[in-house]
């Protein structure tokens, strides 16, 4: 499972033909139209399933897997997480990062350790990184391009610009 990337969780059966609705964990809805296959775990084993069709209906992503042609077949997937492999993950633009890469990353500003990213809040205006410092205090950092000098997903390190504003900077 470490080589797979979560893209959705199956929410409900969508129709009698075997389509099911998913809650997308991707910012890129169009990615679902290009999927040839997904992975899901059943009884402790990760299985590959071929995607037959994808439609968006009323802002919901509906998927149909090959060989699952009834509502009863689709119901087997309710609550299951759907994953893609490295080959099928979305390529990101510069200064755009996957949340799973950010979580657990060490944050530095002016070469000094600030803390570790514990969470990412996805908000309408911009994301916010929730950082825990070594004293257990929570620091909120707007995920703005002007605050980020460099991010290394492999080494899980985020370097901030020297003048980036941290929420607790002005507090006692």
């Amino acid at each position: 499972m470490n080589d797979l990337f979560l893209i959705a969780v199956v929410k409900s059966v969508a129709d009698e033909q075997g389509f099911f609705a998913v809650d997308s964990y991707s910012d890129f809805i169009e990615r679902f139209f290009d999927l040839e296959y997904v992975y899901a775990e059943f009884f402790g084993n990760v299985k590959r399933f071929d995607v037959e069709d994808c439609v968006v209906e009323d802002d919901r992503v509906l998927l149909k897997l090959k060989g699952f042609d009834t509502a009863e077949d689709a119901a087997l997937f309710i609550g299951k997480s759907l994953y893609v492999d490295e080959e099928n993950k979305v390529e990101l633009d510069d200064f755009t990062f996957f949340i799973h890469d950010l979580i657990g990353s060490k944050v530095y500003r002016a070469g000094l350790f600030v803390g570790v990213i514990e969470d990412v809040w996805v908000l309408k205006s911009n994301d916010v990184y929730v950082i825990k410092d070594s004293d257990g205090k929570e620091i909120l950092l707007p995920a703005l391009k002007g605050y980020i000098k460099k991010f290394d997903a492999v080494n899980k390190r985020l370097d901030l610009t020297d003048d980036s504003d941290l929420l607790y900077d002005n507090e006692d």
Side-chain angles (χ1 to χ4, degrees):
M1 294 292 281
N2 291 339
D3 297 335
L4 299 177
F5 303 92
L6 177 67
I7 60 164
V9 172
V10 178
K11 186 175 178 178
S12 63
V13 173
D15 67 16
E16 293 299 316
Q17 287 76 45
F19 277 87
F20 51 73
V22 301
D23 280 334
S24 173
Y25 282 29
S26 175
D27 288 336
F28 309 98
I29 296 299
E30 60 278 2
R31 70 149 18 265
F32 290 95
F33 292 99
D34 297 328
L35 287 177
E36 293 182 26
Y37 54 88
V38 294
Y39 295 91
E41 184 178 345
F42 282 89
F43 307 110
N45 295 310
V46 177
K47 305 263 185 204
R48 178 182 154 161
F49 298 93
D50 292 330
V51 175
E52 184 174 312
D53 201 0
C54 173
V55 296
V56 174
E57 184 179 282
D58 300 326
D59 293 330
R60 296 184 316 160
V61 175
L62 307 179
L63 287 178
K64 182 174 183 331
L65 302 179
K66 289 182 183 171
F68 295 88
D69 300 323
T70 66
E72 292 80 22
D73 293 343
L76 297 171
F77 289 88
I78 293 175
K80 296 291 183 188
S81 297
L82 302 179
Y83 301 88
V84 295
D85 53 19
E86 179 79 29
E87 180 180 316
N88 290 293
K89 78 177 191 181
V90 173
E91 293 299 321
L92 300 177
D93 297 330
D94 290 341
F95 290 97
T96 305
F97 315 113
F98 288 114
I99 290 174
H100 65 265
D101 286 336
L102 289 163
I103 301 292
S105 294
K106 294 180 180 174
V107 180
Y108 294 85
R109 181 175 63 173
L112 301 173
F113 178 72
V114 173
V116 177
I117 297 176
E118 296 280 317
D119 197 4
V120 177
W121 297 344
V122 179
L123 306 175
K124 286 186 180 187
S125 58
N126 58 267
D127 294 352
V128 174
Y129 301 152
V130 180
I131 303 166
K132 283 256 174 101
D133 70 9
S134 49
D135 293 329
K137 288 185 183 176
E138 202 171 78
I139 306 163
L140 302 179
L141 174 75
L144 300 174
K145 184 177 180 179
Y147 288 173
I148 299 169
K149 186 187 293 184
K150 181 174 77 173
F151 177 62
D152 181 347
V154 174
N155 294 308
K156 298 215 98 20
R157 180 181 173 125
L158 178 70
D159 287 289
L160 304 176
T161 58
D162 295 349
D163 60 346
S164 58
D165 246 351
L166 303 177
L167 182 65
Y168 77 18
D169 273 357
N170 297 328
E171 298 175 0
D172 39 83

